[in-house]
Amino acid sequence: MSAQIIDGKAISVDIKNEALEDAKILREKGVEPCLAVVLVGNNSASRVYVNNKKKACEYCNIKSLSYELPEDTTESELLELIDELNKSKNVNGILVQLPLPKQIDETKVILAISPDKDVDCFHPYNVGAVFTGGKGFKPCTPAGVIELIKRTGCDISGKNCVVIGRSNIVGKPAAMLLMAENGTVTICHSKTKNMAEICKNADIIVVATGKINTLTKDMVKEGAIIIDVGMNRNEEGKLCGDVDFENVKEVAGAITPVPGGVGPMTIAMLMKNCITAAKMQNGIE
Ligand code: GUN
């Protein structure tokens, strides 16, 4: 039996359509949801990401304000812009694309964004809220992982969940969100002993190591759900994830492809956070 291939592209469209519907309701109440997108410098990958975010805003009927600053922008110039955006009543969300040029301290910038406009969920206040299970913003990629699992029809409650990778932007928050769904969570990483054994017991495995073939067929229980957050290029230059997809799909119950799995979900969840920001700032449930 071959696994169900989880269609992240289709699920991301469903989520964007939900954001579009919410944007319509907000506009009927006189609120125009608005995201400020800030790009500093000439990083070509960042430019592609930022354009995709602006396109998603357009699709969801969320207004986007674009700020493109030169490579030699100073830290205080950027902090000044953030201060202005923090104060603007018309701006609900602020996204500063990372990485930033080396003269700018990213931590300072993240701390400067008002937590109630921090749609990336990078500010320590919001990171803390994820750990305490509060309402508000969810980090986009980990939240996308949860949606993929749920919309496959899986109830996470009581399931054995393994997260491979302990990064601050994916592994750790993904573990917290799985726990908030009442999963029993184990985090594995490069120093973990018996990783195959731990994974073999899992109903759900989230892989976020940035290393090709982190998860192989022998590590997977029959019917397990596999979410691959990886985005690598193999020797042939082809995009691939952290999971040995071709072999693991023979035993898994459901699995995300790369590309077309987790990737499109990040921006969809960003749109959802923009709507959440507009609702929170206007006292709308
Ligand atoms: N750079 C790479 N991923 C992201 C992201 O999700 N948000 C921001 N702001 N920058 C990024």
Side-chain angles (χ1 to χ4, degrees):
M1 254 265 296
S2 201
Q4 172 198 346
I5 308 300
I6 302 172
D7 188 345
K9 187 95 215 304
I11 294 173
S12 75
V13 171
D14 289 345
I15 290 168
K16 284 191 284 186
N17 285 337
E18 289 162 20
L20 172 62
E21 191 58 34
D22 279 346
K24 183 168 161 242
I25 294 166
L26 281 165
R27 282 170 185 271
E28 281 164 5
K29 294 181 194 275
V31 176
E32 181 181 47
C34 172
L35 173 68
V37 180
V38 183
L39 173 65
V40 187
N42 315 313
N43 184 313
S44 55
S46 288
R47 192 166 291 274
V48 173
Y49 293 140
V50 158
N51 282 336
N52 287 339
K53 289 170 189 181
K54 288 193 276 196
K55 264 190 237 156
C57 282
E58 211 170 295
Y59 181 93
C60 298
N61 206 6
I62 294 169
K63 183 178 176 183
S64 73
L65 298 175
S66 183
Y67 297 85
E68 301 200 356
L69 309 181
E71 183 75 31
D72 62 356
T73 301
T74 64
E75 188 177 278
S76 55
E77 283 169 334
L78 179 57
L79 293 174
E80 218 167 287
L81 171 62
I82 291 171
D83 187 47
E84 219 176 277
L85 297 172
N86 280 340
K87 287 178 181 150
S88 168
K89 285 207 165 41
N90 301 324
V91 171
N92 304 116
I94 302 170
L95 182 137
V96 179
Q97 187 66 26
L98 303 179
L100 291 167
K102 58 184 180 315
Q103 72 275 17
I104 302 176
D105 181 345
E106 281 184 3
T107 307
K108 262 195 203 166
V109 170
I110 289 169
L111 283 170
I113 295 171
S114 174
D116 67 333
K117 297 190 178 184
D118 170 38
V119 286
D120 262 326
C121 199
F122 287 168
H123 191 289
Y125 177 91
N126 290 318
V127 174
V130 171
F131 275 61
T132 52
K135 283 205 309 196
F137 301 125
K138 299 279 179 282
C140 300
T141 301
V145 166
I146 300 294
E147 286 298 323
L148 288 172
I149 297 168
K150 283 190 177 173
R151 292 182 192 225
T152 304
C154 171
D155 179 8
I156 297 167
S157 182
K159 295 286 191 309
N160 287 334
C161 307
V162 169
V163 178
I164 312 180
R166 53 175 158 173
S167 71
N168 287 329
I169 56 164
V170 184
K172 280 187 220 167
M176 289 302 138
L177 296 183
L178 287 164
M179 201 155 31
E181 298 291 336
N182 299 315
T184 303
V185 182
T186 305
I187 305 177
C188 295
H189 49 76
S190 54
K191 301 286 188 289
T192 299
K193 296 189 171 76
N194 311 323
M195 193 151 83
E197 208 175 295
I198 295 166
C199 289
K200 196 85 189 181
N201 194 35
D203 306 302
I204 298 166
I205 307 178
V206 178
V207 193
T209 59
K211 289 195 175 63
I212 291 175
N213 290 340
T214 299
L215 190 75
T216 49
K217 185 179 175 179
D218 55 298
M219 300 164 78
V220 176
K221 181 168 82 173
E222 182 99 33
I225 296 177
I226 311 298
I227 308 293
D228 188 348
V229 189
M231 181 72 86
N232 312 295
R233 283 195 191 272
N234 65 14
E235 308 98 47
E236 297 148 33
K238 219 177 114 205
L239 270 184
C240 62
D242 297 344
V243 175
D244 177 12
F245 179 84
E246 286 308 320
N247 292 308
V248 170
K249 79 172 171 21
E250 299 306 319
V251 286
I255 185 168
T256 59
V258 177
V262 174
M265 294 298 289
T266 301
I267 291 184
M269 301 315 288
L270 174 70
M271 296 299 106
K272 198 170 164 179
N273 277 346
C274 292
I275 296 294
T276 300
K279 285 182 181 172
M280 285 192 312
Q281 287 156 35
N282 289 283
I284 298 166
E285 259 308 296

